[in-house]
Amino acid sequence: MKRVFLIAMLLPMLAQAQTLEECSQAAERNYPLIKQYGLIEKTTQLTMDNIQRGWLPKVSVSAQATYQSDVPAWPDNMQTLLQQMNVDAKGLRKDQYRVGVDVSQTVFDGGAISSQKELTLRQGMVQEAENEVNLYAVRKRVNELYFSLLLLDAQITLKQDLRELLASNERKLASMLKKGTAAESDYNSVCAERLSVDQQLISLQSQRRTLQSVLSAFCGMEVTQVSKPVPVEMKEGNRRPELRLADAQLRLADAQEKWLKSRLLPQLSVFASGYYGYPGYNMFEDMMRHRWSLNGMVGARLTWNIGAFYTHGNDRAKVKLQREMAENGREVFLFNSRMEQMQQQESIDRYRKLMADDEEIILLRQKVRKAAESRLAHGIIDVNDLVREINNENAAKVQQSIHEIEMLKEQYDLKFTTNF
């Protein structure tokens, strides 16, 4: 049973350990939000293609049939004169028909199409930056899970060491009990302490399996074992995606201003219009003969939307406010980030100072424990004193592991805060 227990403990260590960076990259690839990048890119490209087609000729086909209450007619004197000349002047018919085609080609748009394309591109870049900010938060979650699993592994290892130490003393007391040099209560006390440690190991292993399954599901791969990351060097500066988002928002504001200016300029286009129907452009001919004819017209058209001037001032003010909000958001983020960096750096320094004495504390606890084992062998102290010293030594080792892992976690949290 003991062999099976040890093999179960060692199985995770035989598997290849996943690094923190591997888990972070896997989690980002597995996170559903990663699909947003492709969707944003496709949507932006389709919108820009539609805007670019504004340069294509605009063609419209129409057909209509109307009946009018009145139409142009010959004056009575003119109609009398024409009748005297035996000319059949029918006048226009009240039912009229036409089937036509209108073609218009923009020649100058005041930069409206190019500014709309740039505006769409900048909007897509802002959406991508926002997506990057949300996706970057996944790394924080991975850090929490990874270092929690790392801390559990350290605790399990130390509990195993504690169990072996208690089991060793248990065997010694069993031998002493047979020789009559130890009391049965002393043996039972160590045996109970060892069983208590076994229970704690079962609890820690259960917690580890739960945490491992959560991290595996988050990363989209089986995470069997984690490795302790190397300490990182602290660097000055900040490369967080929130700053790129602020820059993208400022560039979007520039594109919006350019688009607003393009709305103030006139637009020039050429057109061609033609139809087949009755009446045509030759009104007098159609008043004499009721027949369908081909009619056409070409020309140039200059349009100027004066209404854009009405709201231009307010629109520019809104863009200015958007720019100020983006700049303020960046300042707020940098301020909070600096405060967070100061706290994390202080925690790193604190753990480093604590770790400076951990090794010496463990050595001293080991000496005290070994001395207690020696005194117990000679019947000088009670077994409860030995158990206490064994637990004190183990507690010192646990504290050392906690300080080391917590310091590493603070270093990687600081790396997350600055993205270096």
Side-chain angles (χ1 to χ4, degrees):
M1 182 67 183
K2 184 186 296 183
R3 184 177 299 173
V4 173
F5 181 78
L6 291 174
I7 292 174
M9 293 290 188
L10 291 173
L11 274 176
M13 300 181 66
L14 298 176
Q16 186 177 3
Q18 280 84 21
T19 65
L20 177 59
E21 186 61 28
E22 289 173 346
C23 289
S24 296
Q25 292 176 358
E28 288 183 354
R29 291 193 300 268
N30 183 58
Y31 204 63
L33 202 60
I34 193 69
K35 298 177 182 179
Q36 288 287 343
Y37 282 111
L39 298 175
I40 292 171
E41 183 180 359
K42 290 179 181 178
T43 302
T44 301
Q45 189 59 50
L46 289 172
T47 304
M48 291 180 64
D49 287 345
N50 287 340
I51 294 173
Q52 180 63 29
R53 292 176 184 179
W55 286 111
L56 296 177
K58 298 177 180 62
V59 181
S60 62
V61 178
S62 62
Q64 71 175 37
T66 62
Y67 185 85
Q68 300 178 195
S69 61
D70 203 358
V71 292
W74 297 106
D76 293 339
N77 293 336
M78 180 67 72
Q79 191 172 11
T80 302
L81 179 61
L82 290 173
Q83 289 175 353
Q84 291 176 355
M85 297 172 61
N86 294 323
V87 175
D88 185 12
K90 300 178 180 179
L92 290 179
R93 294 172 54 176
K94 293 184 178 181
D95 55 321
Q96 300 182 3
Y97 312 89
R98 66 168 58 191
V99 178
V101 177
D102 295 312
V103 180
S104 176
Q105 172 64 57
T106 301
V107 178
F108 174 75
D109 69 342
I113 292 178
S114 62
S115 61
Q116 281 182 335
K117 287 177 61 179
E118 184 178 358
L119 183 61
T120 301
L121 178 63
R122 297 302 179 188
Q123 288 172 339
M125 293 176 68
V126 168
Q127 291 176 342
E128 288 183 353
E130 290 174 343
N131 195 64
E132 186 180 359
V133 169
N134 295 329
L135 194 59
Y136 186 75
V138 172
R139 287 181 172 266
K140 182 70 172 179
R141 182 74 182 277
V142 172
N143 281 3
E144 297 290 339
L145 294 171
Y146 192 93
F147 281 102
S148 296
L149 192 57
L150 200 63
L151 188 59
L152 274 176
D153 284 345
Q155 290 176 337
I156 289 172
T157 300
L158 292 173
K159 286 295 181 184
Q160 290 171 344
D161 293 341
L162 176 60
R163 183 187 183 281
E164 288 301 316
L165 187 58
L166 288 169
S168 175
N169 281 279
E170 184 181 346
R171 289 190 294 269
K172 291 178 184 177
L173 285 168
S175 177
M176 293 171 65
L177 182 61
K178 288 181 181 179
K179 295 177 183 178
T181 58
E184 186 177 357
S185 60
D186 291 340
Y187 172 79
N188 291 338
S189 178
V190 174
C191 184
E193 190 68 24
R194 191 260 306 163
L195 290 173
S196 176
V197 172
D198 285 343
Q199 288 181 332
Q200 294 172 22
L201 270 172
I202 292 173
S203 178
L204 289 173
Q205 286 285 0
S206 176
Q207 293 177 41
R208 189 191 187 281
R209 286 193 296 271
T210 301
L211 198 59
Q212 177 188 347
S213 63
V214 173
L215 182 59
S216 299
F218 205 69
C219 296
M221 66 177 187
E222 187 64 28
V223 180
T224 55
Q225 188 70 19
V226 293
S227 60
K228 188 182 296 183
V230 297
V232 293
E233 245 181 74
M234 299 301 105
K235 296 181 181 179
E236 296 292 332
N238 199 316
R239 299 190 305 184
R240 285 283 292 269
E242 286 85 349
L243 298 178
R244 289 193 288 275
L245 172 59
D247 292 338
Q249 289 171 336
L250 291 173
R251 289 193 292 268
L252 174 60
D254 294 337
Q256 287 173 326
E257 281 194 341
K258 187 176 179 181
W259 176 71
L260 288 175
K261 291 178 181 178
S262 70
R263 295 178 61 199
L264 302 178
L265 298 177
Q267 296 187 357
L268 178 65
S269 62
V270 293
F271 67 90
S273 177
Y275 73 91
Y276 179 67
Y278 173 84
Y281 291 145
N282 191 340
M283 187 72 65
F284 291 103
E285 180 69 22
D286 292 328
M287 292 175 72
M288 303 295 294
R289 299 183 181 85
H290 294 171
R291 63 181 183 181
W292 288 33
S293 61
L294 287 172
N295 302 271
M297 179 190 303
V298 296
R301 182 182 294 114
L302 182 69
T303 58
W304 197 349
N305 182 16
I306 305 299
F309 286 93
Y310 302 158
T311 59
H312 183 70
N314 288 339
D315 291 336
R316 287 193 61 187
K318 287 170 59 179
V319 173
K320 183 180 179 181
L321 289 174
Q322 291 175 6
R323 181 182 284 106
E324 291 176 355
M325 288 173 62
E327 292 174 346
N328 180 256
R330 177 164 58 183
E331 291 175 2
V332 170
F333 172 77
L334 287 173
F335 179 84
N336 292 334
S337 181
R338 283 193 295 269
M339 295 299 102
E340 193 171 0
Q341 289 177 53
M342 290 172 60
Q343 294 174 0
Q344 290 166 342
Q345 188 60 54
E346 179 61 31
S347 296
I348 292 171
D349 295 339
R350 174 166 55 87
Y351 284 121
R352 189 174 283 118
K353 291 176 182 177
L354 291 173
M355 290 175 61
D357 297 328
D358 281 338
E359 194 65 37
E360 185 178 357
I361 292 173
I362 292 173
L363 290 174
L364 292 173
R365 290 295 183 187
Q366 283 179 345
K367 290 179 181 179
V368 173
R369 185 259 304 168
K370 289 178 181 178
E373 288 176 339
S374 177
R375 288 197 297 272
L376 178 67
H378 292 84
I380 300 175
I381 65 170
D382 186 77
V383 71
N384 291 327
D385 295 330
L386 174 61
V387 171
R388 184 178 65 251
E389 297 304 332
I390 290 175
N391 286 330
N392 287 340
E393 180 188 355
N394 180 258
K397 291 180 179 179
V398 169
Q399 284 300 313
Q400 184 188 41
S401 295
I402 290 175
H403 292 161
E404 182 183 4
I405 293 173
E406 287 293 340
M407 188 185 73
L408 282 173
K409 182 179 181 298
E410 290 293 340
Q411 287 180 343
Y412 277 86
D413 284 346
L414 181 56
K415 181 181 178 182
F416 172 85
T417 302
T418 60
N419 195 26
F420 268 106

